[in-house]
Amino acid sequence: MELSEHIKTANVEDVTLRRPFHPALRGTLCVTSHHLLFSNRKDEASWQLLILLKNIDAIEKRAVGSSGTITIKCKDLLVLQLEIPGMEECLNIASSIEALSSLESVTEMYPFFYRPSHLTLLGPWGLSTTEQYYKQTERLWDRWRVSKVNSDYSVCPSYPSAVIVPREVDDDKLIRSARFRQGGRFPVLSYCHHSNGMVIMRSSQPLTGANKKRCKEDELLLQAVIDGSELGYIIDLRSAQQAQQARMTGGGFESKSCYRHWKRIHRHHERGKVVQESLIKLVEACSDLSHSVDRWLSKLENSKWLSHVHSALSTAGLVVECVERDGHSVLVHGSEGTDNTLLVSSLAQIILDPASRTVTGFLCLLEREWIQAGHPFQQRCAHSAYSHARLKQECPSFLLLLDCVWQVWRQFPLALEFSEALLLRLAQEVYASNYGTFLCNNEQERCAAGVKENTHCLFQSMLKPDIEEQYLNPLYEPTDLAIWPSVHPQSLQLWTGMFLRWTEYAQNMEEAREEVWSIVKEHRERV
Amino acid sequence: MEHIITPKVEHVKLLNKYPEKKSALGTLYLTATHLIYVEQTNNSRAETWVLHHHIMSVEKLPLTAPGCPLLIRCKTFQLLHLLFQKERDCQDVYQSLLHLSQPVKEDELYAFLYTPHQNQEDRRQGWEFISVANDFSRMGLSNEYWEISPLNKNYEICSTYPSILGLPKNASVAVVTGSAKFRSRGRLPVLSYYHKDTKAAICRCSQPLSGLTSRCVEDEQMLQAISQANPNCPFIYVVDTRPKLNAMANRAAGKGYENEDNYSNIRFQFQGIENIHVMRNSLQKLLEVCSMKSPSMSDYLTGLENSGWMRHIKSVMDAGVFLAKAVSEERASVLVHCSDGWDRTAQVCSLACILLDPYYRTIKGLMVLIEKEWISFGHKFSHRCGHLDSDPKEVSPVFTQFLECVWQLSEQFPCVFEFNERYLIEIHNQVYACQYGNFIGNCQKERLDMRLHEKTFSLWPHLLKNQHLYRNPLYRRSLESTVLRPSTLPLHFKFWCGMYNHYDGGMHPKQSVLDQLLSLTQKQVEGERTMTELQRLAVADGVLPDPSGLISTPTKQDSPCEKTPTAPVVQSNGSCAPLINGDAEEAVPGAEKCNEEEGAES
């Protein structure tokens, strides 16, 4: 079925558009395969609204006499209303939106059709590869190597084709270790600390099962990681009880007797559906216009969103403590190793590594630790906070990361080279984008769909010099030190820039941001 | 001094709030004014100074194996947990602090001991620096509708009101005095703020003595006069800031609220701000949340909710916003009262002033506002702050709530206030410190009887001298003409960590945007001043003649239309210089600042 077959009514005249902080507008509404387009008839050139259909999370239809109203709730939390004369047109438009906003085939999605004149498909896609990262990181050369054991994605379907592993562990051992880990996600290097060479590894849970199975190669692999130093830490992102229970379904944990030089610490993190529901509840609380403070605080508490932020930052702090302060290597995993694992390992790097706090460094970190590492973006970000669709694989792990990074920035407003604007842009792009960067669930899928050949890369486009400036933090002063955020509840705040994005408040903050820029620019001119 | 049993105790532990962190070991000193804790390690010396007046309570906790613990809670929300080796020492310090922190007589307060290097003339000018009368002229009064009247000059009409009152021109003396008799404690309706653009006024008073049926013709005429003083609106709002239930209960005691049937053209409105006792208990609960050892996010948010504190802050803000809207949008005058008209009324009127008039959002403007709405209108600072050993039921954080509302506004509008958060916190600390005379006593008459202007110094010149610390670098003068329309949705109210957890440094951002921006803009100011600094030195050395006379003669720059304070009035006088008790902490940096200021002035 062609996409255009979903469009029964392509054009409606005399539609009224209502959105926050703009006067109501009358104009023409168009539906195309990928966009909802609104243009003001009087002055077509100067004003129009263009919304990617994929950005639409939910719609509500309401009949008022012979006309209809559609409320559109976007994944970036914008809510707007269209008043459409003619009930039939209204229903047609609504059904087109419903069908076209939930396309499942990747190659039908807009990034495959986005061809702006200023970008070329021949340019580089992505910022770096595992090999390049290895080459740039001299510290790794001695004890670590790049393995291509997964070059055809057969060892681990969700890993990239190349991974970094201890030099002394050969590919055969990796294959055996992969068989012993859920989804084949055997322990690989995530980060090597510049000052002491300690590493952060990540994996999925070991498949010890009820019979306490062992895997010698997996044990050797981890032994090779610590290489003679007496101790490493396994940060298990489940409670001890949950880890025990996982054994009943074939999963498990690294027992002390088998991994004698590794000490296991359990930290409970919510995952999947629970976190998605938190987001839904939080956004619902933020759009509650009742004036009861008690109700707001109780809804905020009940959403648990800030509790997730709290846990993620606390555990990242624990990892940093092991690596930086105590000088031990760390292995991080939960169950699948594709969500909280990536969240904790990348947050730890922001705290530890000054290189990951620049614009380029941060985007490289996201590419390495989320896109290449196989965070299933397509599944996790299929819906955002408004959808009434039954939850399947949705989980806002990536949004949680962005929130945590914002908390770090709030506490260390000089230490990050990028600004809140970059985080907000990413929060938007991850749900609906012109670019191919967040398409699919892993490298293998991206390869099969031809994402690199047929779409533009978001990160490349963000790093163009003229575009980059808007993402810069005017107050940036690099520091080599670890930046430990406080995790006292009083220190963590609602990310107003994100969750109150479409309110007057955001406009006042924008004024302040401009003022900061003008002070800094004035200062630079003087010096 | 007779209260100090042991002036020095060694080997006292200062327990850290977080058990994993090491506690300090040091020496405790008691002076006439301060408790000083000195922690001496090999090469560093850390001092903690706590003013006795800042101590809210001292509590001896049960004896433990490592020693005898003493918990000191401060009005500045600092918490000190000390551990003594000897029970005897603990008891002595406890006894001493009980007396020192709760003086019985006014003249035991710090302000009466504090003598900065200022002569009588400086002192006089310091007190005259902020003038309520000037603020009335700034508003354009007197005019054809309003007059500034000396009717209360001997405090005979109302003992807790200021000596000058803004009254409608067409209210006769009989109406004024008659109305005063019908209002609780004689606090008749008078002008608080006149909004030039709309000719609408904010007036304030106490509750009427209406009981169940009483009425008073003069009071009705008084409200009529207020209404007639505004040609732009045929009615006035009468805002009772109390919850309706409380107001109704007062009727049984012969007090109450205005009956709309008896007054022509009033629109009556309740606002539902709770009384001082509810507020005191709420703060108590909030502070329990703040001092929880390691709460989970849920514990914290639930505790915050249960304290009710944010709800109360919002209720004050809502009422302030109601007033500002009525005046600026409906062009209607508003008469505000609560019970006595010195707590909730002060909060709401002063907040509305800030929303309406950009002048009050400046460093000097806020001083004027506090002087006008709080000090001169008889907010009972001595009672509410518990300066002296008196009825604990009179203590309530009413003024703190006002400061927090201003802070909440500054969070929503980062570019419209000339001052930053530290200014609000400093004012809060000074209110409780009693180092200056401004906040001693309960009303103007009491202050006059205490001869505060002769015996103590005014805080305002001291704050102005340090105004570079309190500047908001984001302040945009271009935005100043706007009436603020804050959102009062609950989610816009934040917990004020900088105030209630001020002393928990670990909770605050580790890098400060404020400091960074201040230093960026400070360098600019300094750069521009280099030349004049050199010139100034030359003048001081007698090499150059003094062109402006600035160095030796303090200038008076108190013109009524002045938008921002441009220069401290009190100069070259060392107002923060040493005092008799050897308050080194104040003296040394203060003296340095004086020098800087002098350089900056010429």
Side-chain angles (χ1 to χ4, degrees):
Chain A
M1 189 168 166
E2 288 287 314
L3 291 182
S4 56
E5 287 170 37
H6 291 292
I7 303 171
K8 287 177 209 130
T9 302
N11 270 296
V12 194
E13 306 274 326
D14 275 333
V15 173
T16 308
L17 167 72
R18 295 177 200 281
R19 53 177 190 161
F21 305 108
H22 292 274
L25 267 178
R26 254 171 127 69
T28 309
L29 181 75
C30 305
V31 187
T32 71
S33 304
H34 293 104
H35 289 98
L36 201 60
L37 206 133
F38 183 91
S39 65
N40 190 341
R41 267 189 305 177
K42 277 172 228 140
D43 193 0
E44 210 158 319
S46 72
W47 203 88
Q48 59 177 338
L49 175 78
L50 187 68
I51 292 180
L52 259 180
L53 287 169
K54 195 173 180 222
N55 188 16
I56 297 176
D57 205 27
I59 60 170
E60 283 160 22
K61 297 162 283 194
R62 205 158 43 88
V64 186
S66 64
S67 67
T69 302
I70 303 180
T71 302
I72 294 183
K73 298 183 170 182
C74 297
K75 291 173 185 169
D76 62 7
L77 309 182
L78 175 68
V79 176
L80 43 85
Q81 268 162 5
L82 296 167
E83 284 167 28
I84 300 171
M87 208 50 220
E88 192 186 334
E89 282 85 353
C90 177
L91 292 174
N92 284 349
I93 298 277
S95 76
S96 300
I97 294 175
E98 275 166 348
L100 293 167
S101 63
S102 52
L103 301 176
E104 298 217 337
S105 159
V106 174
T107 51
E108 283 185 338
M109 289 176 185
Y110 187 62
F112 281 85
F113 301 90
Y114 178 62
R115 297 289 179 266
S117 54
H118 65 279
L119 292 175
T120 161
L121 285 175
L122 300 171
W125 205 100
L127 304 175
S128 176
T129 61
T130 308
E131 287 92 337
Q132 283 166 332
Y133 176 71
Y134 179 82
K135 261 183 220 152
Q136 286 159 8
T137 318
E138 199 183 329
R139 220 178 301 107
L140 293 173
W141 298 351
D142 198 20
R143 289 187 43 227
W144 300 83
R145 69 185 180 96
V146 173
S147 165
K148 305 238 174 151
V149 67
N150 197 39
S151 58
D152 59 355
Y153 307 107
S154 61
V155 177
C156 170
S158 63
Y159 269 172
S161 57
V163 291
I164 300 171
V165 294
R167 187 171 283 284
E168 64 186 79
V169 179
D170 61 32
D171 283 355
D172 270 354
K173 290 202 184 81
L174 296 179
I175 293 170
R176 285 171 190 280
S177 167
R179 283 187 202 138
F180 185 62
R181 295 274 170 178
Q182 183 174 357
R185 295 177 70 92
F186 57 91
V188 295
L189 180 118
S190 158
Y191 171 71
C192 178
H193 190 41
H194 54 87
S195 68
N196 60 11
M198 293 300 135
V199 299
I200 300 175
M201 307 285 292
R202 52 177 165 74
S203 69
S204 60
Q205 66 177 336
L207 302 173
T208 46
N211 304 326
K212 298 192 180 175
K213 256 191 307 189
R214 290 179 64 163
C215 171
K216 205 164 185 74
E217 291 78 7
D218 192 74
E219 290 164 25
L220 284 171
L221 171 54
L222 287 187
Q223 189 56 42
V225 169
I226 44 177
D227 182 43
S229 79
E230 64 271 31
L231 193 63
Y233 282 92
I234 295 172
I235 312 287
D236 193 320
L237 305 176
R238 304 163 295 179
S239 66
Q241 196 192 1
Q242 283 172 320
Q244 279 288 353
Q245 280 166 358
R247 285 178 46 214
M248 298 304 130
T249 49
F253 51 89
E254 296 83 356
S255 69
K256 211 177 225 167
S257 54
C258 308
Y259 300 82
R260 270 184 300 142
H261 293 284
W262 288 84
K263 190 169 156 51
R264 213 175 57 247
I265 302 173
H266 289 275
R267 283 284 183 276
H268 173 66
H269 287 251
E270 294 293 354
R271 48 196 287 262
K273 216 174 182 170
V274 177
V275 185
Q276 179 70 17
E277 271 163 5
S278 286
L279 176 66
I280 293 172
K281 284 182 190 164
L282 177 69
V283 171
E284 200 274 317
C286 290
S287 48
D288 183 343
L289 296 182
S290 86
H291 272 267
S292 158
V293 174
D294 293 4
R295 188 165 142 161
W296 155 249
L297 285 173
S298 125
K299 279 184 159 187
L300 179 64
E301 190 278 317
N302 190 41
S303 81
K304 302 284 178 208
W305 180 263
L306 283 172
S307 302
H308 305 321
V309 170
H310 182 263
S311 326
L313 283 169
S314 307
T315 307
L318 176 68
V319 171
V320 173
E321 206 174 306
C322 294
V323 172
E324 225 255 334
R325 212 175 61 191
D326 303 341
H328 295 297
S329 288
V330 174
L331 168 67
V332 184
H333 72 71
S335 315
E336 294 160 322
T338 53
D339 290 279
N340 284 330
T341 304
L342 308 181
L343 175 62
V344 168
S345 75
S346 41
L347 273 177
Q349 289 178 57
I350 299 262
I351 297 171
L352 275 171
D353 182 13
S356 68
R357 298 177 210 143
T358 63
V359 174
T360 314
F362 181 59
L363 295 180
C364 283
L365 175 77
L366 297 181
E367 184 178 64
R368 212 170 59 240
E369 289 293 275
W370 288 80
I371 294 165
Q372 293 167 357
H375 174 69
F377 280 103
Q378 194 179 335
Q379 291 175 353
R380 298 293 184 257
C381 300
H383 287 290
S384 148
Y386 292 120
S387 170
H388 303 296
R390 207 166 57 84
L391 292 179
K392 285 171 273 182
Q393 299 276 349
E394 286 85 354
C395 177
S397 305
F398 188 72
L399 192 59
L400 193 53
L401 170 84
L402 297 178
D403 195 328
C404 292
V405 174
W406 178 80
Q407 305 283 352
V408 172
W409 169 75
R410 208 189 69 80
Q411 295 190 30
F412 294 90
L414 315 184
L416 305 182
E417 192 195 20
F418 50 89
S419 68
E420 186 179 11
L422 182 100
L423 302 175
L424 290 172
R425 170 89 192 267
L426 290 168
Q428 182 155 16
E429 297 284 342
V430 74
Y431 283 99
S433 177
N434 294 342
Y435 299 90
T437 300
F438 293 116
L439 290 180
C440 302
N441 295 304
N442 51 53
E443 286 281 295
Q444 185 183 21
E445 283 182 26
R446 271 184 283 272
C447 228
V451 167
K452 285 186 191 184
E453 294 76 25
N454 296 302
T455 73
H456 294 286
C457 169
L458 172 69
F459 295 166
Q460 282 289 351
S461 92
M462 285 172 91
L463 289 179
K464 293 204 184 300
D466 52 325
I467 297 173
E468 197 192 352
E469 190 180 339
Q470 57 179 308
Y471 301 125
L472 291 180
N473 171 7
L475 300 175
Y476 178 52
E477 279 183 1
T479 168
D480 281 339
L481 301 173
I483 50 173
W484 295 77
S486 155
V487 294
H488 297 287
Q490 286 99 315
S491 309
L492 303 177
Q493 291 193 351
L494 176 71
W495 184 11
T496 44
M498 175 72 205
F499 295 107
L500 306 184
R501 198 171 177 185
W502 306 105
T503 66
E504 210 160 338
Y505 175 82
Q507 296 177 332
N508 296 339
M509 295 306 120
E510 184 57 25
E511 265 168 24
R513 202 188 64 84
E514 280 167 18
E515 197 58 35
V516 172
W517 263 112
S518 86
I519 289 173
V520 169
K521 280 187 178 153
E522 220 170 275
H523 176 73
R524 281 180 194 159
E525 276 163 24
R526 268 198 321 276
V527 177
Chain B
M1 293 297 275
E2 73 271 22
H3 298 308
I4 301 174
I5 305 165
T6 316
K8 178 179 174 188
V9 185
E10 286 181 326
H11 307 298
V12 179
K13 249 189 191 172
L14 181 61
L15 296 183
N16 201 294
K17 185 169 167 186
Y18 309 102
E20 70 269 25
K21 299 217 172 112
K22 228 185 132 231
S23 302
L25 191 63
T27 310
L28 186 77
Y29 299 89
L30 292 183
T31 73
T33 56
H34 287 83
L35 172 157
I36 306 164
Y37 181 79
V38 182
E39 182 191 343
Q40 182 95 51
T41 52
N42 294 337
N43 42 18
S44 72
R45 179 182 160 94
E47 295 180 6
T48 309
W49 290 58
V50 178
L51 199 61
H52 295 324
H53 292 324
H54 275 163
I55 295 176
M56 181 166 62
S57 71
V58 192
E59 192 185 341
K60 267 183 78 179
L61 300 178
L63 205 66
T64 62
C68 193
L70 192 67
L71 186 63
I72 299 170
R73 289 194 179 85
C74 297
K75 295 169 178 174
T76 54
F77 312 118
Q78 187 172 17
L79 211 58
L80 289 180
H81 200 160
L82 298 171
L83 196 66
F84 293 85
Q85 286 185 334
K86 292 188 202 134
E87 224 260 297
R88 181 77 237 154
D89 288 338
C90 183
Q91 179 61 25
D92 287 351
V93 170
Y94 173 72
Q95 282 297 341
S96 305
L97 286 179
L98 275 189
H99 288 290
L100 292 166
S101 65
Q102 295 215 305
V104 182
K105 287 186 307 224
E106 254 110 15
D107 56 15
E108 292 174 58
L109 291 171
Y110 189 15
F112 293 93
L113 310 173
Y114 178 68
T115 51
H117 284 180
Q118 283 191 3
N119 58 36
Q120 288 308 315
E121 180 57 18
D122 293 335
R123 186 197 306 242
R124 191 185 61 75
Q125 286 188 354
W127 278 114
E128 284 174 2
F129 166 53
I130 296 295
S131 144
V132 175
N134 282 352
D135 198 46
F136 281 130
S137 338
R138 194 189 61 86
M139 293 177 206
L141 303 182
S142 304
N143 64 9
E144 57 174 313
Y145 304 110
W146 293 90
E147 66 180 352
I148 306 307
S149 153
L151 221 52
N152 195 38
K153 65 174 188 290
N154 298 320
Y155 306 101
E156 279 162 359
I157 296 176
C158 173
S159 65
T160 57
Y161 263 3
S163 56
I164 56 165
L165 300 174
L167 294 169
K169 262 212 170 116
N170 58 358
S172 67
V173 176
V175 165
V176 170
T177 48
S179 169
K181 290 197 180 101
F182 188 62
R183 293 279 165 178
S184 187
R185 299 174 201 270
R187 294 174 67 92
L188 71 152
V190 296
L191 182 78
S192 156
Y193 177 71
Y194 177 73
H195 193 243
K196 251 189 282 186
D197 300 348
T198 59
K199 297 194 169 67
I202 296 176
C203 298
R204 54 184 290 175
C205 60
S206 62
Q207 63 185 336
L209 303 176
S210 51
L212 297 170
T213 52
S214 304
R215 54 189 289 188
C216 165
V217 180
E218 289 89 348
D219 194 64
E220 289 159 25
Q221 286 169 342
M222 186 71 194
L223 266 64
Q224 189 68 28
I226 290 172
S227 184
Q228 282 160 359
N230 178 3
N232 288 328
C233 185
F235 65 89
I236 63 167
Y237 280 109
V238 175
V239 172
D240 188 329
T241 57
R242 298 169 294 182
K244 188 172 181 185
L245 216 61
N246 302 19
M248 296 206 356
N250 266 296
R251 288 176 64 186
K255 299 166 187 171
Y257 54 94
E258 291 79 0
N259 182 342
E260 269 180 293
D261 298 337
N262 297 344
Y263 294 82
S264 48
N265 303 320
I266 69 163
R267 294 194 185 171
F268 187 84
Q269 182 92 26
F270 286 110
Q271 281 292 336
I273 304 174
E274 298 288 353
N275 65 27
I276 57 166
H277 311 295
V278 174
M279 300 307 191
R280 181 178 56 245
N281 292 334
S282 173
L283 179 64
Q284 174 69 32
K285 284 186 197 158
L286 180 79
L287 295 179
E288 281 165 21
V289 176
C290 292
S291 60
M292 284 197 283
K293 282 239 163 67
S294 40
S296 70
M297 187 54 84
S298 290
D299 295 341
Y300 163 70
L301 289 173
T302 310
L304 199 57
E305 182 193 338
N306 292 340
S307 76
W309 183 256
M310 307 301 285
R311 184 175 72 224
H312 300 314
I313 295 294
K314 179 174 148 54
S315 68
V316 176
M317 189 75 95
D318 277 330
V321 169
F322 178 86
L323 259 58
K325 262 196 179 154
V327 167
S328 67
E329 288 171 22
E330 295 187 69
R331 309 161 81 87
S333 292
V334 187
L335 174 65
V336 187
H337 69 74
C338 44
S339 297
D340 290 316
W342 51 43
D343 292 311
R344 289 169 273 204
T345 301
Q347 288 178 325
V348 170
C349 289
S350 51
L351 201 56
C353 284
I354 284 186
L355 294 171
L356 285 168
D357 192 335
Y359 176 66
Y360 298 121
R361 298 172 213 151
T362 63
I363 289 178
K364 186 174 173 191
L366 186 69
M367 299 175 182
V368 171
L369 185 66
I370 292 172
E371 193 72 44
K372 177 165 75 86
E373 293 300 317
W374 294 84
I375 298 175
S376 85
F377 269 116
H379 173 68
K380 304 198 293 172
F381 276 107
S382 270
H383 286 166
R384 294 296 176 256
C385 302
H387 288 335
L388 299 172
D389 186 14
S390 56
D391 184 0
K393 286 209 165 60
E394 282 283 314
V395 174
S396 188
V398 176
F399 186 71
T400 309
Q401 289 182 317
F402 162 68
L403 292 177
E404 174 165 347
C405 286
V406 177
W407 178 81
Q408 298 282 359
L409 286 175
S410 74
E411 286 288 294
Q412 270 196 53
F413 302 98
C415 305
V416 307
F417 288 93
E418 192 193 19
F419 47 82
N420 62 45
E421 175 190 60
R422 289 172 197 161
Y423 187 52
L424 300 173
I425 294 174
E426 176 64 14
I427 291 175
H428 185 262
N429 287 347
Q430 291 290 356
V431 165
Y432 288 96
C434 297
Q435 182 177 359
Y436 296 89
N438 308 59
F439 304 102
I440 295 172
N442 293 312
C443 61
Q444 207 173 66
K445 183 171 182 295
E446 250 185 67
R447 291 189 189 97
L448 213 63
D449 293 345
M450 276 188 258
R451 299 195 302 162
L452 279 171
H453 286 212
E454 294 155 49
K455 293 181 176 171
T456 72
F457 290 81
S458 169
L459 168 67
W460 307 127
H462 168 72
L463 289 183
L464 205 60
K465 192 179 286 291
N466 294 326
Q467 63 169 306
H468 56 283
L469 303 172
Y470 307 131
R471 227 161 33 84
N472 170 18
L474 297 179
Y475 179 51
R476 268 203 213 173
R477 240 155 274 260
S478 60
L479 294 173
E480 70 181 8
S481 63
T482 49
V483 173
L484 298 185
R485 292 185 179 79
S487 161
T488 58
L489 280 176
L491 50 80
H492 282 113
F493 290 85
K494 297 181 189 168
F495 169 71
W496 193 3
C497 191
M499 175 67 98
Y500 306 107
N501 282 116
H502 184 80
Y503 290 89
D504 294 295
M507 290 182 190
H508 303 164
K510 306 297 182 297
Q511 296 173 326
S512 156
V513 172
L514 176 61
D515 283 334
Q516 186 70 8
L517 291 177
L518 277 176
S519 89
L520 288 183
T521 50
Q522 200 62 41
K523 274 173 201 150
Q524 173 189 11
V525 176
E526 276 164 20
E528 284 164 5
R529 283 176 176 173
T530 315
M531 258 325 282
T532 49
E533 171 78 31
L534 289 173
Q535 286 167 345
R536 208 207 150 270
L537 285 173
V539 173
D541 293 346
V543 179
L544 284 175
D546 182 358
S548 58
L550 268 176
I551 291 164
S552 44
T553 357
T555 45
K556 192 158 165 108
Q557 306 199 356
D558 206 8
S559 63
C561 59
E562 181 189 10
K563 281 285 179 200
T564 50
T566 49
V569 168
V570 183
Q571 297 169 26
S572 328
N573 49 25
S575 74
C576 339
L579 52 146
I580 45 170
N581 307 296
D583 185 351
E585 182 195 42
E586 278 286 320
V588 176
E592 277 168 14
K593 276 169 206 140
C594 288
N595 291 335
E596 280 169 22
E597 279 303 329
E598 279 171 21
E601 277 315 308
S602 36

